[in-house]
Amino acid sequence: MSKQHATQSPTRSSTVPESIKAASGFWFTAVGAGAFEAGLAVTDMLADGTASLADLAAGLGLRLTIFAMAIFMAVRLRQGANWARIGLALTLGVFGTLSLVIEPVRWLLEGHALGQAIADADAMTFVFAASRIVHLAAVLTAMVLMFTPTANTHFRARPRLSHV
């Protein structure tokens, strides 16, 4: 490396924007909320006896795989990898968000009343709902932050080979 290259300060395009770093943090929050929700669901199913251990193991295995993938991509996003941004947006931003909202939307479309559900809710329901709200808010916030003008400019300015 020449002295000129060694003494140059990083260009703006090589510094990961704060919005991308924050988005990564929100993805970590979403994973944490998802893990918490999974723990609540498992606890509830074990207490009710509504699922076999094989079903629980399969479900947890799938969730752990998704959580690991999300953490890996969030770390790579924080390091400035555009492929991680696209991967997170498509997998968790689109399909993950749908998985978070499809059951409540379906339930409402079936004619159930939200007010009655709140009146009938127990403490576990409120804790789960609060976690789901945090989870969804973290995903949506991360999605917005990953595609701010600053983030878009950063990724457009980077050479494609540096994202691997």
Side-chain angles (χ1 to χ4, degrees):
M1 181 181 267
S2 72
K3 279 187 177 183
Q4 180 183 9
H5 290 308
T7 60
Q8 287 180 339
S9 63
T11 63
R12 283 182 81 186
S13 64
S14 67
T15 302
V16 178
E18 291 302 315
S19 61
I20 293 296
K21 292 176 184 175
S24 179
F26 280 104
W27 284 118
F28 295 139
T29 300
V31 169
F36 181 73
E37 290 164 27
L40 289 176
V42 167
T43 301
D44 195 41
M45 285 186 248
L46 288 174
D48 290 352
T50 58
S52 70
L53 289 179
D55 290 340
L56 287 175
L60 285 175
L62 175 63
R63 282 175 177 73
L64 289 174
T65 300
I66 292 168
F67 296 156
M69 175 194 73
I71 290 168
F72 174 72
M73 286 195 294
V75 167
R76 294 297 291 137
L77 174 70
R78 187 174 191 86
Q79 295 168 345
N82 192 43
W83 66 263
R85 176 173 81 144
I86 301 305
L88 284 163
L90 293 176
T91 58
L92 300 179
V94 174
F95 297 111
T97 299
L98 287 174
S99 76
L100 293 174
V101 300
I102 197 154
E103 285 303 318
V105 168
R106 183 181 302 153
W107 184 83
L108 288 170
L109 291 174
E110 289 172 353
H112 295 98
L114 185 58
Q116 188 61 46
I118 292 171
D120 294 343
D122 60 6
M124 180 74 109
T125 302
F126 282 116
V127 170
F128 187 88
S131 180
R132 181 58 57 97
I133 290 167
V134 168
H135 190 163
L136 185 58
V139 168
L140 296 176
T141 303
M143 287 289 289
V144 168
L145 289 171
M146 288 193 312
F147 292 96
T148 62
T150 304
N152 291 335
T153 300
H154 169 74
F155 287 116
R156 267 189 246 113
R158 292 184 58 136
R160 294 217 187 269
L161 293 177
S162 68
H163 295 353
V164 178

